[in-house]
Amino acid sequence: MIKLFERRTRIAMDRAKKKKGPFIYKSYSKKPKHRWVKKRKAAERRFRRAGFIAIAISSLFLASLVWNIVSSGRSAFTEAQISLQIEFQADLVEQGAYRKIVQNSLIALFPEVEDRKEKRALFGLVSRNAPHMLKKLIEENPALVSTKKDIWIPAASTVSVFYKQRLKEQSKRGGKITASHAAWITQLARSDRMQLKFNMAFFKNGDSREAEQAGVLASSIGSFMTILICIAMAFPLGVATAIYLEEFARKSWFTDFIEININNLAAVPSIIFGLLGLSIYLNLFGLPRSSSLVGGMVLALLILPVIVIATRNALQAVPPSIRYAAAALGATPTQVVFHHTLIYALPGIMTGVILSIARAFGETAPLLMIGMVAFVADVPKTFVDPATTLPVQVYLWASNPELGFVEKTAAAIMVLLIFMVLINLLAIYIRRRFEIKW
Amino acid sequence: MAKFEEWIKASLLACTMLSVLVTALIVLSVLSETIRFFSYIPLADFFFGTEWSPQTAIRADQAGSSGTFGAVPVFMGTFLVTLIAMAVAAPLGLYAAIYLSVYASARFRAWAKPILEILAGVPSVVYGYFAVITLAPLLRAGGDMIGLSIASESALTAGTVMGIMITPYVMSLSEDVISSVPKSLSFGSLAIGATQSETVKKVILPAALPGIVSALLLGVSRGIGETMVVVMAAGLAANLTLNPLASVTTATVQIVTLLVGDHEFDSDKTLAAFALGFSLFFMTLLLNIVALIIVKKYRERYD
């Protein structure tokens, strides 16, 4: 008996040393067990397994989410381009008939196409933006006029998707591709005139009606401008509120009221803040609709309570001895706070602020209310220009049924998630590097 | 010097008042529009009407020009989706919290916690995308296989994804509650010979019950106010049904559809969105306060 006890103790100590979690009763005797014991143990195992399965389901969901997005968004980073021999005829350039130039070179490539309808289909191979690209090229380099040059021109998004999927041997999922389109694509691919290239347009452009030209630059810039406004408003306001509540206010019914108020505000649905923005900022103050200024101000209200709570926690973590020591050396109350307490609480405050910024960065619903769903093709230059943000861009593309936009949506989500990860890593870094343990 | 001190204090107080003002602004702005809405549409029609079709015709003399604003189907849809979400989130979140705080080894925790935190940090629009692109076709195919017809914008799709989204939230709240139950209680139970699961069910959970109930209520309030998942995955037509396979609409979806795009601000349609918004605000506020009261009143103190 004593030997058995010793053995169990040793096992328990071993487990504790290896940090394997709490010691769980296990019988090591070889005696047959009573059926009640068996029943209870089975219940124990079931319960334990249920807990594990709950975590497994959550992890599995995350894994399938990430896998799904990466597998369908990966292809958006490349696009099919067609090498066309463009002849910049002087008279056509003069007229600005760049569309004609593109069409001529396509006909030169496929001289056998005669039928009008077929010709129109042929012109649909390249991006509708191609004439615009050529125009820009000429503007940058006027010497090109009356010369011939091989230029890689992005294919139309349906063609691009079809070409990529052929590469993956899934030709039947090509979307709206006619038989003649398919034949031309095969011919182009054989002669190496169609190739997959890195999709620079995705990072250089704003939104576009043409999937192959749509990019995330405008919405990313819009996101950053919105966040900038948001920080500029929420950070000082939130930190000041927290300092007042934590360091200066005497406890009374009033501070209790404020505390309950702020805690409740943190749980108000985000869309309500959008309604607030719509009726106060837009209709009462008359601020410009769909601008990053209003977006940032709405998001600021959204994360204000979060910042207040985080800052209060960080201030609470600073031991009172610091305050006493400072006060004993003759510091005034504000000096105690601003020269000592706040400095020590700063890493904690920054972590909280950055995490709340991550939340604001991914927020969509309130921005829909203030009209940030507008179609924005240009990068916003000032804070009052119409802007959109990355999550809203994701929403807009996700509601577009065109095949080219499906992969763009997933790719935009990838960009969004990468930004989120970066923000969170920054928060973790600050916590690890600067946080003081008392 | 003393003046400077006073000045700083006053400005801090001003910031605090400004923060508090936000709540007042919400209430005032949304409430005033809501009152205006109810001056056009009777209160009873809104809260007890079963017909929701806010589409106002272009010309005033056209048939059905006023639109009907019976919000029962909308609230029913919200309720249904939230119910499904909680049916997913409550067991998942609770079991995960119990496993993490009672059974898991330190190494397992170090892996599992970040995963759940990432799940909590993923923007809701991503969940919406997942619901539309992946889960909806999957559920429909599964339904076809067993002979059920599932609408592509079913309450089930939106509810399930929303549930997964709320899970980490419920989990972290209830984990805090569970780990705040004093160790001496569970040690006592284990010492009399109860197994770990018996200890959890008969000692820890009853002690943590108020906290867990409030965690679930907070989860419900999150579900009611969640917007992007339902905007993308749930329907637009207001069907009065409790069938999880049918398409339903929710209050948040209606707010978004009524307010996105350019409208004049005075129409019944836009004001209806504010009325829905105010009901939403009121419901979540009520849930939060109830959750707070439950914790305050029923929490046992072990000092």
Side-chain angles (χ1 to χ4, degrees):
Chain A
M1 183 66 207
I2 288 178
K3 226 175 172 183
L4 184 67
F5 179 74
E6 273 176 355
R7 190 169 158 206
R8 273 192 210 153
T9 317
R10 208 178 57 236
I11 290 168
M13 303 255 293
D14 275 359
R15 286 182 69 89
K17 246 186 240 158
K18 285 180 195 154
K19 293 203 170 143
K20 265 187 155 175
F23 172 59
I24 288 148
Y25 178 84
K26 258 189 201 155
S27 171
Y28 295 93
S29 72
K30 296 279 191 287
K31 261 197 274 174
K33 285 160 209 134
H34 195 279
R35 68 188 160 84
W36 290 351
V37 176
K38 273 189 188 158
K39 223 169 143 184
R40 285 175 63 198
K41 289 208 160 169
E44 168 75 22
R45 267 198 301 277
R46 271 203 306 278
F47 192 72
R48 198 188 158 127
R49 207 168 293 150
F52 184 76
I53 287 171
I55 293 177
I57 289 177
S58 310
S59 325
L60 215 72
F61 182 87
L62 183 66
S64 74
L65 184 79
V66 170
W67 187 81
N68 235 295
I69 285 164
V70 171
S71 67
S72 60
R74 208 182 32 176
S75 59
F77 294 111
T78 55
E79 62 172 353
Q81 293 189 351
I82 301 172
S83 163
L84 289 180
Q85 194 179 45
I86 303 274
E87 191 181 355
F88 293 101
Q89 286 168 305
D91 52 333
L92 286 179
V93 170
E94 204 138 298
Q95 288 165 25
Y98 292 97
R99 182 184 299 267
K100 188 85 189 139
I101 296 178
V102 176
Q103 289 174 353
N104 282 345
S105 55
L106 273 168
I107 290 171
L109 210 55
F110 296 101
E112 72 278 5
V113 179
E114 295 283 335
D115 185 40
R116 263 182 75 117
K117 222 170 141 193
E118 283 285 279
K119 264 188 185 166
R120 201 175 312 141
L122 179 63
F123 301 151
L125 272 181
V126 295
S127 165
R128 236 178 277 175
N129 212 34
H132 187 71
M133 278 179 59
L134 293 185
K135 190 176 166 198
K136 242 166 115 183
L137 212 63
I138 290 288
E139 277 166 6
E140 278 163 19
N141 188 2
L144 279 174
V145 180
S146 347
T147 57
K148 265 189 182 182
K149 201 180 172 206
D150 272 345
I151 295 175
W152 286 97
I153 293 203
S157 76
T158 45
V159 172
S160 189
V161 169
F162 176 75
Y163 182 69
K164 280 182 230 168
Q165 289 186 342
R166 262 180 77 92
L167 289 183
K168 287 191 284 175
E169 301 292 324
Q170 284 179 322
S171 47
K172 59 178 180 289
R173 286 180 58 200
K176 285 180 271 168
I177 288 281
T178 58
S180 46
H181 259 150
W184 291 328
I185 291 170
T186 320
Q187 203 178 328
L188 283 170
R190 281 229 185 88
S191 58
D192 264 353
R193 282 195 165 266
M194 187 181 267
Q195 278 178 12
L196 276 188
K197 301 237 162 167
F198 183 71
N199 188 356
M200 276 309 281
F202 187 68
F203 297 101
K204 270 173 34 190
N205 291 2
D207 200 0
S208 168
R209 306 266 181 231
E210 315 298 331
E212 70 272 8
Q213 287 297 317
V216 290
L217 184 67
S219 52
S220 303
I221 302 280
S223 260
F224 282 112
M225 290 168 78
T226 310
I227 291 297
L228 215 61
I229 295 280
C230 175
I231 299 172
M233 186 169 160
F235 180 67
L237 210 57
V239 172
T241 304
I243 290 175
Y244 181 78
L245 288 178
E246 201 54 45
E247 304 288 334
F248 292 109
R250 267 185 225 98
K251 206 166 164 44
S252 66
W253 65 269
F254 181 66
T255 51
D256 278 350
F257 167 74
I258 294 177
E259 201 176 328
I260 292 172
N261 199 326
I262 285 173
N263 283 336
N264 272 324
L265 212 54
V268 168
S270 58
I271 193 168
I272 304 292
F273 288 95
L275 290 179
L276 167 76
L278 177 60
S279 70
I280 302 280
Y281 292 154
L282 295 189
N283 288 311
L284 202 65
F285 296 168
L287 292 172
R289 217 179 140 80
S290 357
S291 63
S292 51
L293 176 71
V294 176
M297 282 164 75
V298 167
L299 291 182
L301 298 186
L302 186 73
I303 64 168
L304 186 65
V306 188
I307 290 183
V308 172
I309 293 168
T311 307
R312 288 191 71 173
N313 289 339
L315 286 171
Q316 272 166 11
V318 178
S321 55
I322 298 280
R323 299 182 180 91
Y324 297 152
L329 290 174
T332 62
T334 50
Q335 282 173 340
V336 170
V337 172
F338 286 98
H339 295 180
H340 302 277
T341 322
L342 193 60
I343 307 296
Y344 286 119
L346 209 54
I349 296 174
M350 289 315 288
T351 314
V353 168
I354 292 171
L355 289 179
S356 64
I357 285 168
R359 194 184 148 193
F361 198 86
E363 197 60 68
T364 323
L367 301 181
L368 300 185
M369 299 288 92
I370 52 158
M372 284 184 93
V373 278
F375 175 81
V376 178
D378 300 321
V379 175
K381 292 200 178 55
T382 65
F383 288 108
V384 291
D385 286 342
T388 189
T389 68
L390 256 178
V392 178
Q393 188 74 78
V394 168
Y395 167 66
L396 284 174
W397 284 349
S399 39
N400 193 324
E402 209 177 299
L403 203 59
F405 277 110
V406 174
E407 56 173 24
K408 289 277 148 117
T409 315
I413 288 178
M414 278 161 77
V415 174
L416 174 66
L417 289 183
I418 287 170
F419 278 130
M420 294 293 258
V421 168
L422 287 181
I423 295 174
N424 278 296
L425 281 182
L426 182 64
I428 292 171
Y429 172 76
I430 288 181
R431 184 163 18 182
R432 290 257 167 90
R433 175 78 178 69
F434 296 106
E435 199 170 59
I436 307 152
K437 285 261 184 287
W438 300 98
Chain B
M1 197 66 203
K3 214 169 188 182
F4 177 70
E5 295 269 314
E6 289 307 309
W7 188 81
I8 291 225
K9 248 190 235 177
S11 55
L12 287 177
L13 179 63
C15 285
T16 310
M17 298 315 291
L18 216 59
S19 306
V20 178
L21 197 69
V22 174
T23 322
L25 276 183
I26 290 183
V27 174
L28 281 183
S29 65
V30 182
L31 189 64
S32 68
E33 308 296 343
T34 308
I35 289 172
R36 258 172 71 199
F37 174 73
F38 284 128
S39 68
Y40 298 125
I41 309 284
L43 208 74
D45 281 9
F46 183 74
F47 284 111
F48 301 109
T50 54
E51 190 88 12
W52 176 268
S53 57
Q55 293 314 320
T56 316
I58 301 152
R59 281 178 295 120
D61 55 326
Q62 223 165 309
S65 61
S66 58
T68 48
F69 296 96
V72 171
V74 177
F75 289 132
M76 203 65 150
T78 309
F79 171 72
L80 181 62
V81 172
T82 310
L83 195 72
I84 295 169
M86 286 318 287
V88 172
L92 273 187
L94 269 183
Y95 270 116
I98 290 170
Y99 189 86
L100 279 186
S101 54
V102 176
Y103 289 112
S105 64
R107 199 188 293 163
F108 185 83
R109 276 179 67 93
W111 273 99
K113 282 280 276 198
I115 286 180
L116 286 155
E117 272 163 21
I118 293 171
L119 219 46
V122 172
S124 54
V125 67
V126 178
Y127 282 101
Y129 170 82
F130 184 80
V132 175
I133 297 288
T134 314
L135 197 65
L138 208 70
L139 279 180
R140 211 164 37 168
D144 282 345
M145 236 165 15
I146 53 172
L148 283 171
S149 80
I150 299 179
S152 60
E153 297 181 321
S154 67
L156 190 62
T157 316
T160 313
V161 171
M162 193 199 276
I164 299 271
M165 198 178 144
I166 303 175
T167 300
Y169 187 65
V170 171
M171 191 216 73
S172 75
L173 284 175
S174 38
E175 201 200 346
D176 288 347
V177 177
I178 288 171
S179 55
S180 74
V181 173
K183 285 275 177 287
S184 56
L185 285 185
S186 52
F187 286 161
S189 159
L190 289 170
I192 334 172
T195 63
Q196 192 64 259
S197 65
E198 285 161 352
T199 306
V200 169
K201 281 184 231 163
K202 304 229 164 88
V203 176
I204 297 181
L205 284 188
L209 194 63
I212 286 175
V213 170
S214 88
L216 292 180
L217 285 181
L218 290 177
V220 170
S221 109
R222 277 268 310 240
I224 289 178
E226 172 48 43
T227 310
M228 288 325 290
V229 170
V230 279
V231 164
M232 294 168 84
L236 288 178
N239 299 323
L240 185 58
T241 173
L242 275 178
N243 177 6
L245 307 181
S247 158
V248 295
T249 191
T250 73
T252 44
V253 174
Q254 288 307 317
I255 295 176
V256 169
T257 39
L258 290 177
L259 285 182
V260 168
D262 294 297
H263 295 290
E264 78 254 57
F265 199 60
D266 275 344
S267 72
D268 294 356
K269 218 167 133 181
T270 45
L271 291 179
F274 279 92
L276 283 177
F278 186 73
S279 333
L280 214 61
F281 176 69
F282 189 72
M283 270 191 281
T284 50
L285 195 68
L286 205 66
L287 279 170
N288 294 332
I289 290 175
V290 169
L292 204 72
I293 289 174
I294 288 178
V295 169
K296 275 238 166 94
K297 187 157 182 202
Y298 294 102
R299 186 168 58 189
E300 304 192 21
R301 301 217 164 265
Y302 308 99
D303 287 326

